[in-house]
Amino acid sequence: MKKNFWEEKTLQEMNSQEWESLCDGCGLCCLEKIETEAGEVYFTDVACRLLDTKTCRCKDYSNRSKKVKDCVKLSAKNTAAFDWLPATCAYKLIHNGKDIPAWHPLISGNKESVHAAGISVKNRIISSGSDGEWTVLQKLTD
């Protein structure tokens, strides 16, 4: 993979390895969300049952769409789905012509940098398969 490929290619031009590497592993996209009548999106602290709450990675990534009916598989063809993604998401940032942040693993060279920066949901969420109270974690803002 070429260094800084995201600066030279559009999302549509990326190969699958480049595309997948854009995911920083924050886990925010795998949280249950609440949308108000006004169109505001809020992230809860309840994660998809397939999200590993300690690693922020899908437990069955290749079969996620089959196992979770409302799982949205991101692609360069469905950029309308980017609206609900967190403001820190590389897919959304690149789509909107913005730079990815310094803590992103592609910049830092460290997969743990997203957790160290406090961006990820690691150890701050519960699985939708567990019992317990939940709250709204953050409002989605640009």
Side-chain angles (χ1 to χ4, degrees), residues 65-80:
S65 297
K66 294 174 191 164
K67 292 187 173 185
V68 179
K69 71 173 187 154
D70 58 348
C71 180
V72 176
K73 188 173 182 179
L74 295 178
S75 78
K77 295 177 183 174
N78 72 340
T79 56

Side-chain angles (χ1 to χ4, degrees), residues 54-93:
K54 292 179 177 43
T55 65
C56 294
R57 293 293 180 175
C58 186
K59 295 176 194 173
D60 194 1
Y61 187 74
S62 59
N63 295 305
R64 68 194 185 282
S65 297
K66 294 174 191 164
K67 292 187 173 185
V68 179
K69 71 173 187 154
D70 58 348
C71 180
V72 176
K73 188 173 182 179
L74 295 178
S75 78
K77 295 177 183 174
N78 72 340
T79 56
F82 293 2
D83 289 346
W84 58 265
L85 291 171
T88 57
C89 178
Y91 297 105
K92 185 174 188 173
L93 290 169

Side-chain angles (χ1 to χ4, degrees), residues 5-6 12 18 21 37 53-55 57 62 76 83-84 89 95 111 124 132-133 138:
F5 64 88
W6 61 91
Q12 292 79 9
E18 293 166 335
S21 72
E37 289 181 15
T53 60
K54 292 179 177 43
T55 65
R57 293 293 180 175
S62 59
D83 289 346
W84 58 265
C89 178
H95 176 69
K111 290 183 180 183
R124 299 189 296 144
E133 294 183 20
Q138 76 180 79

